[in-house]
C-alpha cells in the first residue's frame, strides 16, 4: 500500500498533534478532556466531532467518521493516504523524500508520456518566432507568462503535419497518436488534429495532461474551439477543468465557483479569483457531482448568461441540492460569461457579485416566477405547486422559511401551504429490531469494543487469549492475527498508529476504520473489558446450545443423546458462571 517505511510514518504521526492539525481546517473548542468542532464530513450544524489529544484520534458522533491525523487530512482534502502523510510531514517539518504518484504511473504510462511530451512541444512552439502572434494575442487578453505556465498553454503551428512528424520520429505508433486525438490517420500517414491554434491542456484531477482545447486567435477558422475526443485517459465527465490548480485555493476561500468554459476559468484565475472550476459545457455527470461533494464547500454556479446557461443552472443546482451540496447562484448581468464580465466591468465589480451570490432556493423562486402573471389564479396555483415540489427533500428550516415567504408575498394561508407540504419528523425513529436479531446486535457491539481495546493496548490481547481466545467471524479473527503480529513486531500497540499500519489488506483496514469511528473515547478499564468478553462467551454459548438442542431432537442413538445433553449442561454452567441465566 505504501512506499514510506512504517517507522517513518509512525515518527510523523507521533510528531503531529492531531488537535493542532485539525484546527488548521476547522475551529475547535475544548470541552472537558477533548476538543469539539463542526464535522466536515456531513451536513453538521452543531459541533458533533470530537478530537482527543490524549488518544490522537477524532470521531464524529453523528456520521461515525473517525481515525487518526492522516485519516482526517486524507478525507478532508480528498487525497490519497500517502499524500496525506506527506502533507502532515510538511506541517510538522519532517523532510520526506517522496513524491506522490499520479495516474501517469498506471497502465496508461505510455499515453501519459506521449501527452506530456506533446505538451512540452506545444509550449516551446508558443515561445518560438512562429508563436509570436499567438503570444501577443494572449498578452492583449492579460494572460501573463505566469498564467501560461500554470495552465501549460502552448501553440499548434500553422503546419498540418508538424506534430505528426515530430511524434512519429520519436517512435510513437500512429495508431496510438490517433487514439489520443492528436492526429487523424489517412491512407498515406496522418495529419495534425490541431493547426494554428492556442492550445489549452486539459488535466485530470491529479494534474496530468489528458487532452486539449484548441482555440482560434486570428478568426481564420469557423470553429472557435476544438476539443480532444474522449480517449482511454480522457473521460470528459470525470474531470473538472482546473481542479488540480484550484483545490488548495478552494480550501482557503471555503467555496468553489463553477463556470462553463475553460477560458472563463483562466480569465478568473488570472484576475486573482483562483477557486474556480469549469465544466467545459452545460451538462454535469454524477461523477462530477461526487467530486464537488467531496470538496465539502459551498458551490457557486456562475454559468453563461443565456437560456442554455439558465437551464443548466437550474438542472445542476437541483442535482447538487439533491446530493446535499450547499449551492449558490450568480447570474451575470450585462455580459454573456465571466470572461466578458471581467473585461467590461473589472475585477472589483466581479468580486462584488460573488459576495452577493443568491442562495439556490431564492434563485429558483425567482426563476419559477419568470414569465408568469401571478395575478392570474391558474398561473399562481401552478407557481405555488412548482415551489412546493422544489421543496421536496429540502430540510425543515428551508421549508419553513420558503412557505412563510409564499404566504406573505401572495396572501395565502400559511397552514394550508404547510398541509400541502410534508415536513420530516425531526425526532429520529429508531428501527424495530426483530427479537431473533437482538443477540447478533449485542454480539457485534461487544466485539467492536473488544477489538477496540486490543488495538489500543497490548495487555488486552493477553487477557483475550486467556479468557476467550476466539471470535466467530473470519474477518474478526484475521484482525486479531494482525494485532498479534503488530505487537510482536513493535512490542506495543495504540490505535492511532495501528490505523496507519501499511500491511493491512483492504477488508481488514475497512474494519479498523469502522471500529475507530463507532466507539467513544472511553477510558480503558480491565473490568469492563472482561465484562465484554463474558457477554461474547455467553452469546456464543447460547448459539451452541441452540444448535445442540436441534441435534438432540434428531438424534436416535441413546449414547449420543447423553453426550449431547452433557455438552448442553456444561455450556449452561459456563453461562451461569459468567453471571448470566
Amino acid at each position: 500500500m505504501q512506499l514510506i517505511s512504517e517507522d517513518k510514518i509512525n515518527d510523523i504521526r507521533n510528531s503531529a498533534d492531531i488537535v493542532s492539525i485539525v484546527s488548521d481546517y476547522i475551529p475547535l473548542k475544548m470541552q472537558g478532556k477533548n476538543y469539539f468542532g463542526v464535522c466536515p464530513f456531513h451536513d453538521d450544524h452543531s459541533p458533533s466531532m470530537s478530537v482527543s489529544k490524549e488518544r490522537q484520534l477524532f470521531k464524529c458522533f453523528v456520521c461515525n467518521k473517525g481515525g487518526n491525523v492522516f485519516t482526517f487530512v486524507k478525507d478532508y482534502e480528498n487525497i490519497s493516504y500517502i499524500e496525506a502523510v506527506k502533507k502532515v510531514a510538511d506541517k510538522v517539518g519532517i523532510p520526506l523524500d517522496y513524491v506522490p504518484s499520479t495516474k501517469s504511473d498506471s497502465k496508461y504510462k505510455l499515453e501519459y508520456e506521449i501527452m506530456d511530451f506533446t505538451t512540452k512541444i506545444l509550449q516551446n512552439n508558443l515561445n518560438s518566432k512562429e508563436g509570436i502572434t499567438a503570444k501577443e494575442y494572449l498578452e492583449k487578453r492579460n494572460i501573463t507568462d505566469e498564467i501560461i505556465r500554470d495552465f501549460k498553454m502552448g501553440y499548434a503551428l500553422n503546419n498540418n503535419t508538424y506534430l505528426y512528424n515530430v511524434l512519429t520520429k520519436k517512435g510513437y505508433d500512429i495508431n496510438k497518436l490517433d487514439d489520443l486525438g492528436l492526429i487523424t490517420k489517412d491512407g498515406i500517414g496522418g495529419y495534425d488534429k490541431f493547426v494554428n491554434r492556442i492550445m489549452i491542456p486539459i488535466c485530470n484531477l491529479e494534474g496530468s495532461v489528458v487532452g486539449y482545447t484548441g482555440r482560434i486567435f486570428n478568426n481564420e477558422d469557423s470553429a472557435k474551439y476544438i476539443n480532444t475526443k474522449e480517449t482511454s485517459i480522457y473521460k470528459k465527465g470525470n474531470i473538472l477543468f482546473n481542479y488540480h490548480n484550484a483545490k488548495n485555493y478552494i480550501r482557503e476561500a471555503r467555496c468553489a465557483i463553477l463556470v462553463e468554459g475553460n477560458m472563463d476559468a483562466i480569465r478568473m484565475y488570472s484576475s486573482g479569483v483562483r477557486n474556480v472550476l469549469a465544466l467545459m459545457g452545460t451538462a454535469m455527470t454524477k461523477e462530477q457531482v461526487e467530486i464537488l461533494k467531496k470538496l465539502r464547500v459551498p458551490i457557486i454556479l456562475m454559468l453563461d448568461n443565456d437560456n442554455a446557461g439558465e437551464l443548466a443552472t437550474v438542472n445542476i443546482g437541483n442535482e447538487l441540492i439533491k446530493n446535499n451540496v450547499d449551492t449558490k447562484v450568480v447570474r451575470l448581468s450585462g455580459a454573456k460569461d465571466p470572461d466578458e464580465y471581467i473585461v467590461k466591468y473589472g475585477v472589483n465589480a466581479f468580486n462584488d457579485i460573488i459576495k452577493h451570490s443568491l442562495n439556490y432556493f431564492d434563485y429558483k423562486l425567482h426563476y419559477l416566477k419568470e414569465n408568469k402573471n401571478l395575478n392570474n389564479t391558474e398561473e399562481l396555483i401552478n407557481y405555488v405547486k412548482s415551489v412546493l415540489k422544489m421543496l421536496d427533500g429540502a430540510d425543515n428550516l428551508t421549508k419553513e422559511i420558503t412557505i412563510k415567504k409564499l404566504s406573505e408575498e401572495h396572501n395565502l394561508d400559511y397552514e394550508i401551504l404547510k398541509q400541502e407540504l410534508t415536513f420530516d419528523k425531526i425526532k429520529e425513529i429508531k428501527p424495530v429490531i426483530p427479537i431473533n436479531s437482538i443477540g447478533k446486535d449485542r454480539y457485534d457491539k461487544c466485539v467492536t469494543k473488544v477489538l477496540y481495546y486490543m488495538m489500543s493496548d497490548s495487555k488486552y490481547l493477553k487477557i483475550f487469549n486467556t479468557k476467550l481466545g476466539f471470535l466467530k467471524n473470519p474477518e474478526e479473527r484475521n484482525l486479531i492475527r494482525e494485532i498479534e503480529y503488530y505487537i510482536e513486531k513493535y512490542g506495543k500497540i495504540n490505535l492511532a498508529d495501528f490505523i496507519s499500519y501499511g500491511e493491512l489488506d483492504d477488508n481488514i483496514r475497512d474494519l479498523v476504520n469502522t471500529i475507530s469511528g463507532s466507539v467513544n473515547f472511553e477510558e480503558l478499564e480491565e473490568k469492563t473489558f472482561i465484562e465484554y468478553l463474558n457477554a461474547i462467551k455467553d452469546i456464543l454459548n447460547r448459539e451452541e446450545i441452540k444448535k445442540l438442542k436441534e441435534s438432540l431432537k434428531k438424534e436416535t442413538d441413546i449414547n449420543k443423546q447423553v453426550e449431547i445433553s452433557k455438552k448442553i449442561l456444561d455450556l449452561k454452567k459456563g453461562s451461569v458462571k459468567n453471571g448470566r441465566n
Side-chain angles (χ1 to χ4, degrees), residues 316-328 359-361 390 392-394:
I316 292 171
N318 286 344
E319 203 60 36
L320 292 174
I321 291 293
K322 195 190 302 180
N323 282 274
N324 298 314
V325 178
D326 185 2
T327 306
K328 302 180 186 300
N359 173 282
Y360 177 72
F361 282 103
M390 172 189 81
D392 185 35

Side-chain angles (χ1 to χ4, degrees), residues 8 88 162 175 238 344 373 511:
K8 188 73 171 179
V88 174
Y162 175 78
N175 293 308
N238 295 342
K344 284 179 73 172
N373 176 12
L511 180 57

Side-chain angles (χ1 to χ4, degrees), residues 159-225:
N159 178 340
N160 69 357
T161 58
Y162 175 78
L163 199 57
Y164 168 80
N165 289 331
V166 173
L167 294 174
T168 51
K169 281 179 183 176
K170 178 78 173 172
Y172 296 128
D173 180 69
I174 185 172
N175 293 308
K176 184 67 70 178
L177 299 176
D178 182 61
D179 289 343
L180 288 171
L182 297 173
I183 66 138
T184 301
K185 290 192 299 183
D186 60 20
I188 304 169
Y191 54 90
D192 295 0
K193 177 75 173 177
F194 300 96
V195 178
N196 196 27
R197 287 177 177 267
I198 290 171
M199 299 295 285
I200 305 166
I202 301 166
C203 297
N204 62 19
L205 301 185
E206 291 80 19
S208 297
V209 177
V210 293
Y212 299 97
T213 292
R215 191 192 194 284
I216 59 168
F217 60 95
N218 55 9
N219 297 320
E220 289 182 4
D221 195 316
S222 59
K224 188 175 181 180
Y225 295 101

Side-chain angles (χ1 to χ4, degrees), residues 98-289:
Y98 173 77
V99 178
S101 62
T102 67
K103 288 187 178 179
S104 57
D105 296 322
S106 70
K107 65 178 181 177
Y108 296 115
K109 185 174 181 179
L110 177 60
E111 284 83 350
Y112 285 105
E113 177 189 305
I114 293 170
M115 298 303 284
D116 183 60
F117 182 68
T118 301
T119 301
K120 287 182 172 65
I121 293 171
L122 298 170
Q123 287 175 303
N124 288 335
N125 290 346
L126 186 61
N127 293 308
S128 69
K129 64 180 181 180
E130 290 91 345
I132 287 174
T133 308
K135 189 78 175 285
E136 288 174 347
Y137 172 85
L138 291 172
E139 288 171 357
K140 286 177 185 175
R141 293 182 65 105
N142 295 318
I143 305 296
T144 64
D145 286 342
E146 179 195 357
I147 300 302
I148 289 170
R149 282 194 303 273
D150 282 354
F151 287 92
K152 304 177 184 178
M153 296 171 76
Y155 170 59
L157 297 183
N158 193 11
N159 178 340
N160 69 357
T161 58
Y162 175 78
L163 199 57
Y164 168 80
N165 289 331
V166 173
L167 294 174
T168 51
K169 281 179 183 176
K170 178 78 173 172
Y172 296 128
D173 180 69
I174 185 172
N175 293 308
K176 184 67 70 178
L177 299 176
D178 182 61
D179 289 343
L180 288 171
L182 297 173
I183 66 138
T184 301
K185 290 192 299 183
D186 60 20
I188 304 169
Y191 54 90
D192 295 0
K193 177 75 173 177
F194 300 96
V195 178
N196 196 27
R197 287 177 177 267
I198 290 171
M199 299 295 285
I200 305 166
I202 301 166
C203 297
N204 62 19
L205 301 185
E206 291 80 19
S208 297
V209 177
V210 293
Y212 299 97
T213 292
R215 191 192 194 284
I216 59 168
F217 60 95
N218 55 9
N219 297 320
E220 289 182 4
D221 195 316
S222 59
K224 188 175 181 180
Y225 295 101
I226 295 178
N227 294 309
T228 297
K229 64 182 181 180
E230 293 215 339
T231 70
S232 56
I233 60 172
Y234 174 43
K235 306 297 182 201
K236 184 177 176 181
N238 295 342
I239 290 172
L240 288 168
F241 181 79
N242 194 44
Y243 180 89
H244 67 291
N245 283 329
K247 60 183 178 181
N248 290 332
Y249 294 109
I250 289 168
R251 298 292 181 202
E252 292 171 13
R254 302 278 181 179
C255 69
I257 302 170
L258 189 68
V259 297
E260 279 186 35
N262 46 21
M263 280 306 297
D264 293 323
I266 292 170
R267 167 67 66 192
M268 290 168 64
Y269 191 93
S270 67
S271 302
V273 183
R274 301 202 161 182
N275 55 322
V276 59
L277 305 170
L279 282 166
M280 298 180 293
T282 57
M284 174 175 274
T285 65
K286 63 181 181 180
E287 289 81 9
Q288 289 168 329
V289 171

Side-chain angles (χ1 to χ4, degrees), residues 483-580:
I483 293 170
E484 287 174 327
Y485 181 75
Y486 187 94
I487 293 171
E488 184 181 321
K489 185 175 180 180
Y490 294 102
K492 61 180 181 179
I493 192 170
N494 68 69
L495 183 54
D497 281 339
F498 190 66
I499 287 170
S500 303
Y501 186 38
E503 295 184 27
L504 302 178
D505 68 31
D506 290 343
N507 290 333
I508 295 178
R509 186 172 302 284
D510 287 344
L511 180 57
V512 172
N513 290 333
T514 299
I515 291 169
S516 68
S518 61
V519 294
N520 300 337
F521 298 135
E522 61 188 65
E523 294 296 325
L524 303 179
E525 295 182 354
E526 187 174 321
K527 179 184 174 184
T528 305
F529 181 69
I530 292 171
E531 286 176 356
Y532 289 138
L533 294 180
N534 286 338
I536 292 169
K537 187 184 289 187
D538 177 60
I539 292 166
L540 295 176
N541 283 353
R542 288 172 183 270
E543 287 182 357
E544 185 61 23
I545 288 169
K546 186 177 178 182
K547 288 179 184 176
L548 289 170
K549 284 182 175 179
E550 291 297 321
S551 297
L552 188 60
K553 288 177 184 177
K554 298 173 184 177
E555 187 56 66
T556 56
D557 187 303
I558 187 66
N559 293 323
K560 288 183 179 178
Q561 287 177 348
V562 171
E563 185 181 333
I564 293 170
S565 298
K566 185 176 183 304
K567 285 181 181 179
I568 292 171
L569 185 60
D570 289 340
L571 288 169
K572 284 184 175 180
K573 286 179 181 178
S575 292
V576 172
K577 188 178 178 182
N578 289 333
R580 291 168 175 70

